[in-house]
Amino acid sequence: MVAQDGTRRLSSTWLLAGLVIAGVLAQGVLTNAVAASVRARAACTVFAGVFVQAVPFLVLGVVLSGFIAAFVSPRLIGKVLPRNETAAIGVAGLAGAAVPGCECGVVPVARRLTDQGAPGAAALAFMLSAPAINPMVLIATAVAFPGEPGMVAARFAGSLATAVLMGLLWSRFGQPGWMTPTPAHLHHTAGRTRWAVFTEAARHDLVQAAAFLVVGAGAAALLHVAVPPDWYEHLAGQLLLAVLVLAVLAVLLALCSEADAFVAASMSALPLLPRLVFLVVGPAVDVKLFAMQAGTFGRAFALRFAPLTFAVAVLCGTAAGLLFLGGAR
């Protein structure tokens, strides 16, 4: 890829293509290495199962995300918000259900909403809800947890409550000086066709989200073969500890919200409640989101917003689980 200054730069697309080619060329060596170990074969089976199940939802999600980037302007979203800030927070939180996309793509959209005059608290509620309660995420959750419709309802309620509550808290206690928007990379539309905007947005989201999916599937495989079964049994018997451990794990793994349900489903030895908290916390706060929020709104914002979001997400996820899953199970 040639940059504007004439220098050549390795893009994420070329890097992904290079890794795929390297994997194909090394197929024989990798196959022999996996065949020699029972644990490696088990890990590959878990990795393939999580990855293959999640890919269709990931692809459809980024296609819809590209469509929105090309045809739906954040200015239009700003216009439909009520003038009353409290009402605007609720509407913005619910509006996230209609805007599929990964967490990374929603952060710059939230910044653009604030630049166009939308209340900061409403933009933050939208930023938290969009990657967590959109149809693709809820459908993926239903597929990952067949026979457990309560997981879908609990994830929707817990994530929406997190978004709205954080918006209300920021409206009440947030200071204007804490949020200092800085220039962010957005999908520029000036002088470009809608098809060009669509393909760029979809490619960007696919490459970025697929990378996190690979990391998540790999983590699920590693947890399956590296963690002794009795560790899961011990953790399952300590519900509060399990909730906290999986909440922290969601922050560290930084999975794509369109694929995290399949990783959570692979932890079948644990109760549903801590796995639900894992799904509520992940799209709201993780290491990559902290970095993006610090770069977009400033470090003062991220240092205050991320820890509070973590606490609120854990509490809302736990409350939703107790309500919709029939108790702590």
Side-chain angles (χ1 to χ4, degrees), residues 184-238:
H185 172 75
L186 300 173
H187 303 296
H188 301 290
T189 59
R192 306 185 61 190
T193 64
R194 294 188 184 276
W195 173 251
V197 175
F198 168 81
T199 54
E200 179 190 350
R203 179 198 62 79
H204 172 269
D205 285 356
L206 177 61
V207 173
Q208 192 167 51
F212 290 113
L213 172 57
V214 170
V215 172
L222 179 63
L223 290 172
H224 182 79
V225 300
V227 179
D230 58 347
W231 186 89
Y232 283 111
E233 294 176 2
H234 175 74
L235 191 60
Q238 303 290 330

Side-chain angles (χ1 to χ4, degrees), residues 7-325:
T7 60
R8 291 188 175 273
R9 184 177 60 186
L10 183 64
S11 69
S12 56
T13 303
W14 285 106
L15 180 60
L16 178 61
L19 291 175
V20 171
I21 293 173
V24 172
L25 295 177
Q27 181 179 6
V29 177
L30 294 175
T31 301
N32 292 334
V34 171
S37 172
V38 175
R39 293 166 68 88
R41 290 198 300 271
C44 287
T45 300
V46 174
F47 177 90
V50 172
F51 190 85
V52 171
Q53 280 186 302
V55 161
F57 299 98
L58 186 64
V59 172
L60 185 54
V62 299
V63 168
L64 292 175
S65 177
F67 177 86
I68 289 167
F71 296 98
V72 179
S73 169
R75 186 181 300 275
L76 176 62
I77 299 176
K79 287 181 179 179
V80 302
L81 292 177
R83 293 187 177 182
N84 179 274
E85 187 172 29
T86 301
I89 292 170
V91 171
L94 289 172
V99 185
C102 70
E103 302 92 313
C104 304
V106 176
V107 173
V109 173
R111 187 198 76 90
R112 184 155 43 173
L113 285 173
T114 61
D115 289 346
Q116 293 176 347
L124 296 180
F126 176 81
M127 181 180 72
L128 292 176
S129 68
I133 66 171
N134 69 71
M136 291 310 307
V137 169
L138 297 180
I139 293 173
T141 304
V143 173
F145 291 91
E148 293 289 350
M151 281 293 287
V152 180
R155 181 172 195 178
F156 177 88
S159 297
L160 180 59
T162 299
V164 173
L165 184 55
M166 281 302 301
L168 293 174
L169 288 173
W170 192 262
S171 173
R172 176 66 178 84
F173 300 105
Q175 300 296 324
W178 294 347
M179 185 182 290
T180 54
T182 56
H185 172 75
L186 300 173
H187 303 296
H188 301 290
T189 59
R192 306 185 61 190
T193 64
R194 294 188 184 276
W195 173 251
V197 175
F198 168 81
T199 54
E200 179 190 350
R203 179 198 62 79
H204 172 269
D205 285 356
L206 177 61
V207 173
Q208 192 167 51
F212 290 113
L213 172 57
V214 170
V215 172
L222 179 63
L223 290 172
H224 182 79
V225 300
V227 179
D230 58 347
W231 186 89
Y232 283 111
E233 294 176 2
H234 175 74
L235 191 60
Q238 303 290 330
L239 193 61
L240 178 59
L241 179 62
V243 167
L244 295 177
V245 168
L246 261 66
V248 173
L249 191 63
V251 174
L252 297 178
L253 289 182
L255 300 178
C256 171
S257 61
E258 293 161 353
D260 58 0
F262 299 98
V263 176
S266 70
M267 306 175 189
S268 56
L270 296 177
L272 288 177
L273 181 60
R275 288 188 281 169
L276 171 66
V277 173
F278 176 87
L279 297 179
V280 173
V281 170
V285 54
D286 60 39
V287 289
K288 73 176 185 300
L289 282 175
F290 177 83
M292 291 192 67
Q293 291 168 3
T296 302
F297 295 107
R299 290 184 59 188
F301 167 84
L303 288 173
R304 292 171 172 83
F305 189 76
L308 181 59
T309 302
F310 177 82
V312 170
V314 171
L315 292 175
C316 289
T318 302
L322 294 175
L323 180 62
F324 289 95
L325 297 179

